[in-house]
Amino acid sequence: MAAILKKPILVGGLGLTAGLWALQSFGDSALHAGGDLMWGAIALGSGYLWLRQYFKSSDNSAKSPAVLLPIAANRTVVEQALSAVDALITQLQSEPTGTGDAVSDSVVEPLRTKLAELNQELDRQHLTVTVLGESGVGKTALMNWLQDNWLSGHQDKHSQTVSLMDSLPAINQVTDDAASLAMPSDALTHDLLLFLTSGDLTDSQFQILQQLRQQRQRVLLVFSKQDQYLPDDRLTVLHQLQQRVKSVMEPEDVVAIATVPAPIKVRQHQDDGSIIERTEQPEANVFSLSDRLGTILHQEAQQLVWATVLRKSWLLRQDIVAELNQIRRDRALSMIEQSQWIAAAAAFANPVPTLDLLATAAVNAQLVMDLGTVYHQPFSMDQAKEIAGTMAAQMVKLGLVEVSTQAISPLLKGSALTYVAGGMLQGVSAAYLTRIAGLSLVEYLQERSQNPDLAKQPIQIDRILNTLKSVFQSNQRTEFLQQLVTQGMTRLLPTAEAKAEATI
């Protein structure tokens, strides 16, 4: 009880619920007026916040640059990123866990080892090059040609060494939609990528190319197997590629090659009038790529290394944040569990629909503040009220309140004793909706913690509401609802009645 008294929104909200319940003795009009005022305030506040966020995001979109070329990395930027990772590891060490124990050294030490390796890599003189593309575009043939014909010549001319890494796994499909492709997870750990395509880019290929460039990945777009086109068509395809990617790449970074040209048939007329036919294998045409490759590795070697270390620091940061989020999620789930049954108890004691929603909104507002603290993204009291109010209004708008009641009601009808208990349906529904709201906010806060740029932006209500929809859809399983009903009977009914319920 002492812990609850330290939560001002919760105490105030539940107190208001009790006060409005008392007004029933003076007539239904006072109760309805109180409910209308409460929901009117929620709608007005949430509507204002949504419009403010909408116009702010629209304004930011209007100011965003059309060209997506990444800024070149420099040592200062990389060192700052590594320092931020170091601070994050320290934070992980001191993060309170649900059990009260410190985070295990077996978790922290490997992260510190990786960080130390990245600091040493800042002065690396060795570069790595690899190939990326869909199946059948000639990745293996190109790597073999570079290994046999280009690598030794480059090493002789330049001081830095280069390794040709095995080509990355083919860009693969992740859904039934043939246009949906996924980039290999280690694509960002190399200094230079050769992105192969055998023709014009698909939308999914272009999206992957955008992702690479936005992550400061140096890329050459290689039009392979150009020998399969007529001479005029080769120039057309090359020009189309240059135009397609001009927002993310320079034209000179788009080159055409033919690593293993198709054999051609040659007819030779003899003096006696006979004709001899033979098949000849044309020489590989990879010179435009080898020249551009050599220029980039010579002129941009240091920047390539720094950019790779920067990307690796981002990947390491993601690993650390994942560990932090798991710890925080465990704590958050405990808070959600506690809050859902506080809301259930308040609704069970006051089985009036308007008061149910008011009590749930009060509990949710306090939960917003508590979860913000857990994820080191604290909310003010006003922000917590706005977020909780907006989620409550969205639940009503989407019909989540009605849907949850319809889903839970049949589970309660199986027992006459439970069903006649006036507030049981409202209590379990309040617990369910509080849990949905809490899980939605957890998902949103985890997304913000994983994306530093997103964490710097104001709270985006539209993202929370989108998360709310998906969380609700994934928590409509009958087994989950049945478990919630069983827990509700144990927690909300007197002990004797609960035991009787279990035997019916």
Side-chain angles (χ1 to χ4, degrees):
M1 181 62 69
I4 295 178
L5 293 177
K6 295 179 182 179
K7 301 178 183 291
I9 297 180
L10 183 59
V11 173
L14 296 181
L16 179 59
T17 303
L20 288 175
W21 185 35
L23 288 177
Q24 292 181 85
S25 59
F26 295 98
D28 291 339
S29 60
L31 179 60
H32 291 319
D36 291 342
L37 285 173
M38 185 272 292
W39 284 110
I42 285 177
L44 182 62
S46 61
Y48 166 73
L49 183 61
W50 184 88
L51 287 173
R52 183 177 66 187
Q53 295 296 336
Y54 172 80
F55 285 114
K56 184 174 295 185
S57 63
S58 299
D59 184 58
N60 290 340
S61 299
K63 295 179 181 178
S64 61
V67 178
L68 299 175
L69 288 173
I71 301 172
N74 61 67
R75 190 180 184 105
T76 300
V77 169
V78 181
E79 288 177 340
Q80 290 173 347
L82 294 175
S83 178
V85 170
D86 186 33
L88 201 58
I89 295 176
T90 300
Q91 182 177 328
L92 175 62
Q93 281 185 300
S94 60
E95 187 75 12
T97 64
T99 61
D101 298 329
V103 178
S104 171
D105 289 342
S106 63
V107 173
V108 175
E109 289 308 315
L111 299 173
R112 289 211 174 276
T113 299
K114 291 181 180 178
L115 178 60
E117 292 172 351
L118 290 182
N119 276 290
Q120 295 176 354
E121 199 174 330
L122 282 171
D123 298 312
R124 170 167 56 87
Q125 296 296 313
H126 185 81
L127 301 174
T128 60
V129 178
T130 192
V131 175
L132 177 67
E134 295 185 53
S135 299
V137 294
K139 299 189 298 293
T140 301
L142 176 58
M143 292 297 284
N144 290 339
W145 187 93
L146 292 172
Q147 183 72 46
D148 297 338
N149 301 277
W150 175 83
L151 186 59
S152 59
H154 175 81
Q155 311 284 41
D156 293 340
K157 294 179 182 178
H158 305 290
S159 58
Q160 82 276 4
T161 58
V162 177
S163 288
L164 295 172
M165 310 301 291
D166 291 338
S167 59
L168 294 167
I171 300 174
N172 51 30
Q173 298 179 14
V174 294
T175 70
D176 293 335
D177 180 3
S180 298
L181 305 173
M183 179 175 64
S185 58
D186 57 345
L188 300 175
T189 61
H190 301 283
D191 299 316
L192 180 62
L193 287 185
L194 308 181
F195 192 110
L196 267 62
T197 179
S198 56
D200 201 4
L201 293 176
T202 64
D203 288 340
S204 290
Q205 288 174 320
F206 181 69
Q207 290 172 11
I208 290 177
L209 194 57
Q210 281 184 312
Q211 294 173 21
L212 291 169
R213 295 294 282 156
Q214 288 169 343
Q215 296 292 326
R216 297 178 186 259
Q217 178 63 63
R218 193 68 169 91
V219 182
L220 287 180
L221 179 59
V222 181
F223 168 34
S224 67
K225 299 187 177 182
Q226 66 164 336
D227 57 293
Q228 297 181 355
Y229 294 79
L230 295 174
D232 289 343
D233 292 339
R234 297 173 192 174
L235 295 176
T236 299
V237 173
L238 180 61
H239 179 70
Q240 287 175 339
L241 287 171
Q242 291 172 334
Q243 290 299 308
R244 181 75 186 278
V245 302
K246 65 180 180 181
S247 63
V248 295
M249 297 180 65
E250 300 293 342
E252 55 266 31
D253 286 338
V254 184
V255 296
I257 65 170
T259 310
V260 185
I264 59 175
K265 184 179 293 186
V266 177
R267 290 184 175 182
Q268 185 175 10
H269 294 264
Q270 304 299 311
D271 294 339
D272 60 4
S274 62
I275 298 176
I276 298 177
E277 292 186 354
R278 68 177 184 274
T279 299
E280 291 186 356
Q281 177 65 50
E283 292 185 0
N285 181 3
V286 192
F287 302 109
S288 59
L289 171 61
S290 61
D291 289 344
R292 185 60 182 156
L293 192 57
T295 299
I296 291 174
L297 295 179
H298 176 60
Q299 296 180 351
E300 305 176 27
Q302 187 60 76
Q303 286 72 27
L304 292 176
V305 170
W306 288 337
T308 300
V309 175
L310 183 61
R311 290 191 301 275
K312 288 181 178 180
S313 76
W314 293 340
L315 296 174
L316 179 56
R317 182 189 185 281
Q318 290 177 4
D319 292 341
I320 300 168
V321 170
E323 292 287 350
L324 279 169
N325 278 343
Q326 184 57 56
I327 295 171
R328 293 167 178 173
R329 188 179 184 88
D330 292 341
R331 294 175 57 204
L333 290 178
S334 177
M335 290 180 174
I336 292 172
E337 181 88 6
Q338 182 185 44
S339 296
Q340 74 185 35
W341 295 121
I342 293 175
F348 180 74
N350 303 305
V352 180
T354 304
L355 298 183
D356 292 345
L357 295 173
L358 176 56
T360 302
V363 173
N364 288 352
Q366 184 64 60
L367 182 58
V368 169
M369 293 192 70
D370 293 343
L371 293 178
T373 301
V374 169
Y375 282 89
H376 295 255
Q377 301 178 49
F379 300 106
S380 67
M381 188 177 294
D382 288 339
Q383 285 178 317
K385 290 177 181 177
E386 285 182 324
I387 292 172
T390 303
M391 285 197 292
Q394 184 73 359
M395 286 180 179
V396 174
K397 179 180 178 181
L398 294 175
L400 268 59
V401 177
E402 182 179 357
V403 170
S404 65
T405 301
Q406 292 175 349
I408 294 171
S409 179
L411 300 177
L412 290 171
K413 285 183 179 180
S415 169
L417 179 60
T418 301
Y419 192 68
V420 298
M424 180 56 66
L425 177 60
Q426 287 79 7
V428 175
S429 295
Y432 179 63
L433 295 175
T434 297
R435 186 171 188 84
I436 296 299
L439 292 176
S440 301
L441 191 60
V442 165
E443 294 296 327
Y444 173 71
L445 292 173
Q446 288 192 168
E447 181 186 13
R448 282 175 64 88
S449 65
Q450 291 165 351
N451 187 334
D453 293 333
L454 185 62
K456 296 176 184 177
Q457 298 177 11
I459 298 299
Q460 296 173 300
I461 293 295
D462 56 335
R463 282 180 176 266
I464 298 178
L465 299 184
N466 287 334
T467 304
L468 177 66
K469 297 176 188 177
S470 61
V471 169
F472 177 75
Q473 291 171 355
S474 62
N475 283 273
Q476 288 184 281
R477 301 184 308 275
T478 302
E479 298 83 2
F480 169 73
L481 294 174
Q482 182 63 67
Q483 182 181 16
L484 198 67
V485 168
T486 301
Q487 292 176 343
M489 289 190 296
T490 302
R491 290 174 176 269
L492 300 179
L493 291 178
T495 303
E497 292 181 350
K499 288 182 178 179
E501 285 297 326
T503 63
I504 295 178

